[in-house]
Amino acid sequence: MKRGSLFLGLILGASLGATAVLIKTKEKTAKVYKASWFVAHTPESPHLIQQAQEFAHRLEERSHGQLHLDLVFPKNSFIKDGNNFRDAIRMIGTNEAQISQISSTHLSLFDPQFQVFDLPFLFKSHEHAAKVFDGEIGDRIRSHFLEASGHVVRSLAFTYSGGYRVFVSNKRLSKASDLVGLRMQFYGPKADPSETLSQNPALTHLYTDLAFKMRPVMTNDHPEYFSQLDFFKNNDIDITEDHLSHFTRVYNKVGILRGKMDYVWETNHSLFLTSIVVNEKFFQSLPKDLQTLLKEEAQRLALLEREASIELDQNARQWLINSGYTVTKPTEKERNALIKESRDVYDKLGPQIGPDLIKSIEDLGASLSSSSLADTH
């Protein structure tokens, strides 16, 4: 089955979710396009919600009331983002909602090229990532995704859902061999295909068979657990990955991790990325000027979110240090060793992603000055 048919299967029998109404004025009758944004991030991501609200306001203001966007929140705010991303994919595919922000990991299930964003140590800096997202390479990736989705979903812009991935563990880590045999939670083996980790080849190969050789602890082996916090609390896992602001915001506030997960290793091996997406049928229903407006505002939102995510992670890092966590980074020698260990992932997934795409991103990173690469080291 082609990847695009997964999205096409979602829209069979679905009706147009967006509505268009006419507003009569003294000068003319203006068509108003109403749409909804399904907020896949939980309320634990308040800055994302605030920026989405501003996005909706700016759309209405700049379109002089022609483009109206309502935010729609998950019914159960305690469900993890992974399940919400699954719902977002379904709702955008069926046009039940018109716009959302979905992790690149989940979107890679429909277009293998999106796996490129989870390749380890691909992005050398935030500047490098931005030049990929906002330039010709990003345009190519978005065009490919539209084709892969069967022209059902369009990617408007790339942004962050946090910052760099780091490891949080129950012991101090300093080299690649320290990761071998550590227990890490994975979803599966019967998890919904929209779940992450065990369903994402780049991450799975990196953590298990091809590189770091950690020991998977499968979520389905513990159906009695409500969340990852239960795995921590019961000492069933030794390590997890996260970004700094999420770890401090969600996990630490419940007060059960101190003494269990006190060590942060800033490997910065990849970025938590999302894409702002729109249902293509709705997008094509808009006049050209409103299409342009929507793309401009999505790009503006993406830039604001990246900036906010970087600042939040910087603040979180300082908070962790001040709170007594041990926060370390690999030495240059050990970072090079980690990069070397991870190259088998590229060899494994390169044919699916496209060697030319990977090379173009690596070449772009190599062309940047050394001073611009400092944020990963």
Side-chain angles (χ1 to χ4, degrees):
M1 179 183 288
K2 293 183 178 179
R3 296 267 176 166
S5 63
L6 293 172
F7 266 127
L8 290 172
L10 289 172
I11 64 170
L12 292 177
S15 60
L16 182 64
T19 58
V21 298
L22 298 179
I23 294 180
K24 293 184 178 181
T25 68
K26 293 181 179 180
E27 299 177 355
K28 62 179 181 178
T29 300
K31 193 171 186 179
V32 176
Y33 298 85
K34 292 187 176 182
S36 59
W37 171 308
F38 180 74
V39 182
H41 292 278
T42 68
E44 294 293 348
S45 306
H47 75 284
L48 296 175
I49 295 172
Q50 291 165 5
Q51 288 170 338
Q53 291 169 334
E54 182 186 2
F55 173 73
H57 174 75
R58 286 179 60 87
L59 287 179
E60 184 138 11
E61 183 176 61
R62 288 191 62 195
S63 69
H64 304 289
Q66 280 193 274
L67 193 51
H68 178 83
L69 183 66
D70 291 314
L71 301 189
V72 177
F73 293 88
K75 293 180 180 179
N76 186 346
S77 63
F78 295 101
I79 293 177
K80 58 183 177 290
D81 281 353
N83 285 339
N84 294 337
F85 286 139
R86 178 199 62 197
D87 290 341
I89 289 172
R90 174 185 59 78
M91 293 173 74
I92 300 300
T94 60
N95 211 12
E96 183 179 344
Q98 289 66 55
I99 300 174
S100 190
Q101 185 172 327
I102 302 174
S103 77
S104 60
T105 297
H106 287 76
L107 293 175
S108 71
L109 294 163
F110 303 99
D111 183 0
Q113 270 204 356
F114 265 56
Q115 294 177 49
V116 74
F117 296 124
D118 287 322
L119 287 178
F121 305 104
L122 178 63
F123 293 112
K124 306 305 181 185
S125 67
H126 291 300
E127 180 188 351
H128 181 200
K131 287 185 178 296
V132 171
F133 302 156
D134 305 332
E136 182 269 337
I137 297 174
D139 289 341
R140 278 195 285 137
I141 295 173
R142 285 191 292 271
S143 294
H144 191 277
F145 179 79
L146 181 61
E147 293 284 341
S149 76
H151 287 265
V152 175
V153 177
R154 174 185 292 264
S155 169
L156 295 173
F158 297 114
T159 186
Y160 294 169
S161 176
Y164 279 108
R165 287 183 169 100
V166 304
F167 288 122
V168 183
S169 67
N170 58 10
K171 69 173 187 177
R172 183 168 183 149
L173 305 171
S174 62
K175 55 186 181 298
S177 59
D178 290 340
L179 297 168
V180 176
L182 295 185
R183 298 168 301 165
M184 185 177 188
Q185 179 196 3
F186 285 76
Y187 293 103
K190 297 179 181 179
D192 185 279
S194 293
E195 289 295 353
T196 186
L197 288 182
S198 65
Q199 300 298 331
N200 182 288
L203 296 177
T204 301
H205 290 314
L206 175 66
Y207 301 142
T208 58
D209 58 323
L210 293 183
F212 299 154
K213 295 181 173 57
M214 295 187 226
R215 187 149 50 100
V217 175
M218 309 311 290
T219 300
N220 285 12
D221 291 341
H222 293 276
E224 72 278 14
Y225 289 173
F226 177 75
S227 74
Q228 190 180 50
L229 292 173
D230 293 311
F231 287 85
F232 289 131
K233 185 169 58 178
N234 294 298
N235 299 313
D236 290 312
I237 56 178
D238 306 304
I239 191 169
T240 188
E241 68 157 22
D242 211 329
H243 62 89
L244 297 177
S245 62
H246 184 270
F247 178 71
T248 58
R249 189 174 65 245
V250 178
Y251 292 146
N252 189 73
K253 74 175 187 178
V254 298
I256 66 172
L257 298 187
R258 293 311 305 269
K260 294 180 181 291
M261 293 285 181
D262 287 345
Y263 299 91
V264 178
W265 198 27
E266 288 188 279
T267 49
N268 294 348
H269 48 280
S270 59
L271 287 159
F272 277 104
L273 300 178
T274 56
S275 181
I276 301 170
V277 297
V278 61
N279 177 275
E280 180 66 3
K281 188 173 183 179
F282 169 74
F283 183 78
Q284 292 300 333
S285 74
L286 299 175
K288 294 297 183 185
D289 61 328
L290 293 186
Q291 289 182 2
T292 299
L293 171 61
L294 181 58
K295 289 191 288 187
E296 288 175 352
E297 287 300 320
Q299 179 63 19
R300 178 183 181 276
L301 175 61
L303 294 175
L304 289 173
E305 287 189 354
R306 289 182 220 162
E307 182 180 333
S309 292
I310 292 170
E311 182 179 0
L312 285 169
D313 263 19
Q314 290 172 342
N315 293 340
R317 184 179 192 277
Q318 191 58 53
W319 185 92
L320 287 166
I321 293 171
N322 293 343
S323 300
Y325 286 84
T326 300
V327 181
T328 58
K329 291 186 177 185
T331 64
E332 184 176 358
K333 178 181 177 180
E334 288 304 328
R335 182 174 179 81
N336 289 335
L338 289 166
I339 292 172
K340 183 178 179 180
E341 287 284 336
S342 68
R343 290 309 296 186
D344 284 347
V345 180
Y346 287 67
D347 296 337
K348 180 77 172 182
L349 299 180
Q352 300 176 38
I353 296 170
D356 291 343
L357 174 60
I358 297 172
K359 186 177 185 303
S360 65
I361 295 175
E362 290 181 321
D363 289 347
L364 181 57
S367 71
L368 300 176
S369 65
S370 58
S371 62
S372 70
L373 306 182
D375 59 47
T376 61
H377 293 79

